[in-house]
Amino acid sequence: MKVALAGLPLSGKTCLFDALSEGAVDSTVHPARADHPNVASVAVPDRRLDWLYEHYKPPKQVPVHVELLDLPGLTPGRSDLATQNTAVLEHLRRADALVYVLRAFDSPRVPGRVDPRADRDVLDGEFLISDLDVVLRRIEKIEGQIAKPLPHREALKHELEFLTRCRVALEAEKPLHDVAQTDAERGILHNFAALTEKPVVTVLNVGEGHASRPLEAAKAYEGLPQPLIALCASLEAEISQLPADERAVFMEEMGLDRIHALDLLPALHRAQHRITFYTTGDKEVAARSLPQGATAVDAAADVHTDMAHGFIRAEVVTFDHLKSAGNVKQARADGHVRLEGRDYVVQDGDIILFHFSR
């Protein structure tokens, strides 16, 4: 799962990256560049996984990870930075989801007034224009191909019809996530990595004066798209650099009840319509991510392809039932352990033991 941070210059993207990555990359020495973004693998916080680890006490705990990209800010209208903007947009296209980082703090370092709604409109407009450019170039290419007696001419006609609808939507300043109506059309959007089709989570970056109550600051900007996480990225980045045993004291002094940046990772998982299932064993407990609607055999393949090839059945208990029962033996006695076939649709929170032939 690859997630890219998007925003205007000095919006706080790098501070958010540092807060989430806990300084995995020294952003001061190695600032993100368009030709070399900073990348960090960040674990998704998961209380269910923590409970399973404490319950089973295996040597290893394996969370779901997000690959996080920090990039230079977009600068629409700057002809001298057009090449950089193009490179940044290409990195954003390759991401599975986007985080809009919007400034909601005053700073003498940042020119202009604080207006996260306007900043959001600038980003949306840049992505609409970029997608329209891609769609128009593809339409032009298909129109040239469709005149020839090609074997896939009918498929090209269907694609042209769909892309024409995309063009109309983009020219009307509407994103593409509601245009695709079939799996084939969604596949076309996926192939050219439409920016306005990607899941988005908004981060409202507030000043240190609102760090302990960021949602109060967010009320001044009602109407920003949801899901929205409000936080003070600079302060949380500073906390992330402290030794673990000093963080709680500093947070108490600043009035923080938690690191709000960590709320972003589960929100991104949900925004992509993904679920989490779990596997347990003597060596590890693991959280695993699947798209909603995935089947038991899909889940088996996520663990190991041999499990999918030799799939027999899945033994399933929900996390809530296991926690309530205290152990699998009692959950089975209570009738909460089920045997499911390969077409079973995996649910969020399922704990699965796969039976398969070797």
Side-chain angles (χ1 to χ4, degrees):
M1 185 162 58
K2 182 183 290 188
V3 174
L5 305 180
L8 302 182
L10 302 176
S11 59
K13 298 184 310 307
T14 296
C15 284
L16 179 59
F17 177 86
D18 290 343
L20 289 167
S21 65
E22 298 189 334
V25 178
D26 190 334
S27 299
T28 303
V29 177
H30 303 287
R33 305 196 314 262
D35 63 340
H36 193 285
N38 283 338
V39 182
S41 180
V42 182
V44 177
D46 190 331
R47 292 180 180 177
R48 295 180 298 197
L49 181 64
D50 293 340
W51 187 91
L52 290 170
Y53 181 68
E54 289 300 317
H55 180 71
Y56 287 104
K57 302 188 185 313
K60 190 176 180 182
Q61 179 179 3
V62 183
V64 173
H65 278 83
V66 169
E67 184 179 301
L68 194 65
L69 274 72
D70 183 29
L71 294 154
L74 285 165
T75 52
R78 288 280 302 272
S79 58
D80 57 322
L81 294 176
T83 300
Q84 174 178 290
N85 281 342
T86 300
V88 169
L89 288 169
E90 286 307 307
H91 283 295
L92 295 176
R93 284 193 183 282
R94 291 195 286 270
D96 300 309
L98 303 177
V99 176
Y100 278 23
V101 183
L102 306 179
R103 179 171 72 97
F105 61 89
D106 284 305
S107 171
R109 295 177 57 238
V110 187
R113 63 193 180 98
V114 177
D115 193 343
R117 292 192 191 90
D119 292 349
R120 170 85 191 209
D121 289 344
V122 169
L123 293 174
D124 283 342
E126 190 73 2
F127 295 163
L128 285 164
I129 291 169
S130 182
D131 278 354
L132 181 59
D133 179 60
V134 172
V135 167
L136 290 175
R137 283 190 279 114
R138 179 60 182 163
I139 286 175
E140 183 179 5
K141 183 175 181 179
I142 293 176
E143 286 176 339
Q145 292 176 321
I146 213 166
K148 302 174 185 176
L150 298 172
H152 56 291
R153 193 161 174 263
E154 287 303 312
L156 288 173
K157 285 183 178 179
H158 289 301
E159 183 178 353
L160 180 60
E161 185 275 328
F162 170 62
L163 291 176
T164 300
R165 283 192 279 121
C166 290
R167 187 202 69 206
V168 171
L170 292 167
E171 288 176 341
E173 300 184 357
K174 294 179 180 178
L176 294 178
H177 50 65
D178 293 328
V179 178
Q181 298 172 357
T182 66
D183 288 342
E185 291 177 348
R186 282 184 280 273
I188 294 170
L189 286 184
H190 180 76
N191 286 340
F192 70 75
L195 290 163
T196 61
E197 186 261 346
K198 294 184 184 299
V200 174
V201 176
T202 301
V203 166
L204 191 68
N205 188 13
V206 304
E208 290 193 9
H210 294 97
S212 62
R213 49 190 192 283
L215 288 178
E216 288 185 19
K219 290 179 181 177
Y221 305 106
E222 289 183 1
L224 285 170
Q226 299 292 325
L228 181 144
I229 310 292
L231 52 83
C232 177
S234 60
L235 183 62
E236 297 200 4
E238 183 179 348
I239 293 170
S240 74
Q241 306 304 308
L242 295 174
D245 58 351
E246 296 180 15
R247 293 180 188 180
V249 174
F250 187 77
M251 288 172 63
E252 185 176 356
E253 290 176 354
M254 299 303 298
L256 267 70
D257 59 346
R258 68 184 190 282
I259 298 297
H260 294 84
L262 295 178
D263 297 342
L264 174 62
L265 300 169
L268 283 163
H269 200 249
R270 292 190 296 270
Q272 294 180 81
H273 305 292
R274 298 186 72 86
I275 63 166
T276 304
F277 77 99
Y278 303 89
T279 55
T280 63
D282 295 334
K283 296 181 179 180
E284 67 177 34
V285 294
R288 303 178 184 277
S289 177
L290 284 177
Q292 288 178 2
T295 64
V297 76
D298 295 326
D302 187 76
V303 180
H304 198 287
T305 53
D306 288 349
M307 289 187 177
H309 292 152
F311 184 93
I312 298 173
R313 61 184 178 275
E315 197 170 316
V316 183
V317 61
T318 69
F319 172 82
D320 289 340
H321 283 145
L322 176 63
K323 185 177 180 181
S324 177
N327 55 62
V328 172
K329 182 178 180 181
Q330 186 59 51
R332 184 176 284 109
D334 294 341
H336 293 312
V337 178
R338 314 183 310 275
L339 295 178
E340 301 288 358
R342 63 187 298 115
D343 295 328
Y344 167 71
V345 177
V346 179
Q347 302 299 306
D348 186 64
D350 279 350
I351 301 167
I352 307 179
L353 173 64
F354 296 101
H355 297 270
F356 63 102
S357 60
R358 297 180 185 273

